[in-house]
Amino acid sequence: MARLNVNPTRMELRRLKDRLKTAERGHKLLKDKSDEMVRQFLVLIKENKRLREELEGDIADALRTFALSASAPLDVVQAIALPTLTATINVGTKNVMGVDVPYMQTARTGDVKLPYALCAAPAELDDAVLKLIELTDKILHLAEVEKTCNMLADEIEKNRRRVNALEYVMIPQLQETIKYILMKLDENERASIIRLMKVKELNKS
């Protein structure tokens, strides 16, 4: 490992030791953060898989019911053309391990009313419309979880690069440089002792 290009002085040694201590503390904090982020990421991945499978089943069920209603004489498109319910989506952010991830919540105004006469439509159409209305919250929740997973994955990758840079580049460089300075200081000290001994020998003679 290449060392840093510094002067081998005691002041530089003290400064590098402080940097090494800070780097090691930062490495431990980032490693702990990375481990916790991975743990939360795995929890969210499982939640995402469960929600997606559940939602795909619900959508398939709703579409099957909708397909059955399409065989009725009523014009389905005309029956559901007029909305009777207004939905508002409140979008915000929440903090997960230092990452601002999206948070969505729906608020509905109005009652759930079917926009056609019940006697003019088959029961399957009623079921299909009600099921699709109920799926709105699940779809938004799935989108929120998936986006959180993507953002956490990016942050985990960035954090891992920082950890690796500290572990395999910065900390070894600092350790190698400190070792070099200590060796140089020992050499200088030995050289000083030898000079003093020679001076004493010259004074005696």
Side-chain angles (χ1 to χ4, degrees):
M1 175 59 65
R3 60 179 174 79
L4 300 173
N5 187 19
V6 295
N7 294 323
T9 61
R10 293 192 181 279
M11 185 178 295
E12 194 66 41
L13 178 64
R14 191 181 305 115
R15 189 178 70 83
L16 288 175
K17 282 184 175 179
D18 289 341
R19 279 184 64 187
L20 178 61
K21 192 181 296 182
T22 303
E24 288 174 340
R25 191 183 304 120
H27 174 266
K28 184 181 182 306
L29 290 173
L30 285 174
K31 190 76 169 60
D32 291 345
K33 179 183 177 182
S34 183
D35 292 343
E36 180 60 22
M37 285 174 70
V38 168
R39 189 191 67 78
Q40 291 200 21
F41 178 72
L42 292 175
V43 171
L44 284 168
I45 284 291
K46 288 178 183 176
E47 174 71 3
N48 182 67
K49 183 174 183 293
R50 184 190 66 79
L51 282 171
R52 178 168 284 280
E53 289 175 351
E54 183 181 319
L55 188 59
E56 285 175 353
D58 290 345
I59 290 175
D61 184 42
L63 291 178
R64 274 195 300 271
T65 309
F66 196 76
L68 289 173
S69 68
S71 60
L74 175 72
D75 185 350
V76 174
V77 175
Q78 182 181 355
I80 60 175
L82 296 175
T84 60
L85 193 66
T86 302
T88 305
I89 303 174
N90 298 317
V91 181
T93 58
K94 59 182 179 181
N95 193 282
V96 177
M97 296 300 296
V99 182
D100 289 331
V101 298
Y103 172 74
M104 292 184 285
Q105 193 173 22
T106 54
R108 294 191 179 93
T109 54
D111 298 326
V112 179
K113 295 178 183 176
L114 298 173
Y116 50 79
L118 296 179
C119 60
E124 290 84 0
L125 183 59
D126 303 351
D127 292 340
V129 170
L130 293 174
K131 283 177 181 177
L132 290 171
I133 290 173
E134 290 174 2
L135 288 179
T136 307
D137 291 339
K138 287 186 179 180
I139 291 171
L140 287 174
H141 185 46
L142 177 62
E144 178 187 321
V145 172
E146 281 199 353
K147 184 62 178 177
T148 301
C149 287
N150 292 336
M151 293 178 76
L152 273 181
D154 291 342
E155 190 63 25
I156 287 169
E157 184 59 33
K158 290 177 187 175
N159 202 61
R160 187 171 293 159
R161 284 199 295 268
R162 293 188 194 109
V163 170
N164 288 341
L166 284 170
E167 186 173 349
Y168 298 111
V169 179
M170 188 174 183
I171 290 176
Q173 273 186 344
L174 290 171
Q175 289 172 337
E176 187 68 25
T177 307
I178 289 170
K179 183 180 174 183
Y180 163 75
I181 292 176
L182 287 170
M183 184 181 68
K184 281 292 185 182
L185 290 175
D186 287 343
E187 286 179 6
N188 293 340
E189 191 172 346
R190 283 195 297 272
S192 297
I193 291 171
I194 291 170
R195 279 196 299 271
L196 285 172
M197 290 172 66
K198 285 185 178 180
V199 168
K200 285 183 179 179
E201 287 177 3
L202 289 172
N203 289 337
K204 286 180 180 178
S205 61

